[in-house]
Amino acid sequence: MDPPLYQLKAEFFKTLGHPVRIRVLELLSIREHAVAEMLPEVGVEPAALSQQLAVLRKANLVVTRREGSTVYYRLTSDDIAELMRVARGILTGVLQGQAELLAGLRAASR
């Protein structure tokens, strides 16, 4: 018996549940990147980046190509980039709501 779709979705979101993985996906949403290009952008050691890239590869969210000794990563689907954009929009709305609530609390305490 196959796992229910909601369980597969939960596993998918667990895969996204690491800040380095999210940052990598954001970078790759812009364009293909070499590992060396991503290192300063994600701010982790090479071994840590390699580990997170392996998780993304295993989940089939990114693929690689080699050019000489350089390994390039890209997203497997434009839908992943769209998911990053949608998440940003959702968070923007949530943060705006929280800022308005905070402003209201500050005004009420005066």
Side-chain angles (χ1 to χ4, degrees):
M1 187 168 146
D2 291 331
L5 184 57
Y6 62 84
Q7 187 174 350
L8 295 173
K9 286 180 183 178
E11 291 301 319
F12 172 76
F13 283 108
K14 281 183 195 176
T15 300
L16 299 179
H18 193 284
V20 170
R21 288 183 228 144
I22 294 296
R23 184 65 184 130
V24 165
L25 294 175
E26 288 175 343
L27 290 170
L28 297 179
S29 292
I30 299 166
R31 64 173 174 82
E32 176 182 75
H33 280 73
V35 174
E37 293 178 299
M38 287 189 274
L39 280 168
E41 295 291 331
V42 297
V44 296
E45 295 297 318
L49 178 58
S50 179
Q51 181 182 24
Q52 299 309 322
L53 287 167
V55 171
L56 293 172
R57 271 193 323 270
K58 184 178 177 187
N60 199 33
L61 297 177
V62 300
V63 291
T64 63
R65 74 172 177 88
R66 184 175 292 278
E67 193 173 293
S69 63
T70 304
V71 178
Y72 291 90
Y73 281 81
R74 66 179 167 81
L75 298 177
T76 56
S77 168
D78 290 337
D79 291 340
I80 300 163
E82 180 63 18
L83 178 62
M84 293 296 104
R85 283 189 289 277
V86 168
R88 180 181 295 262
I90 292 168
L91 289 173
T92 299
V94 168
L95 293 173
Q96 282 178 321
Q98 290 175 350
E100 290 167 7
L101 178 61
L102 181 59
L105 290 172
R106 285 183 176 151
S109 67
R110 289 181 186 163

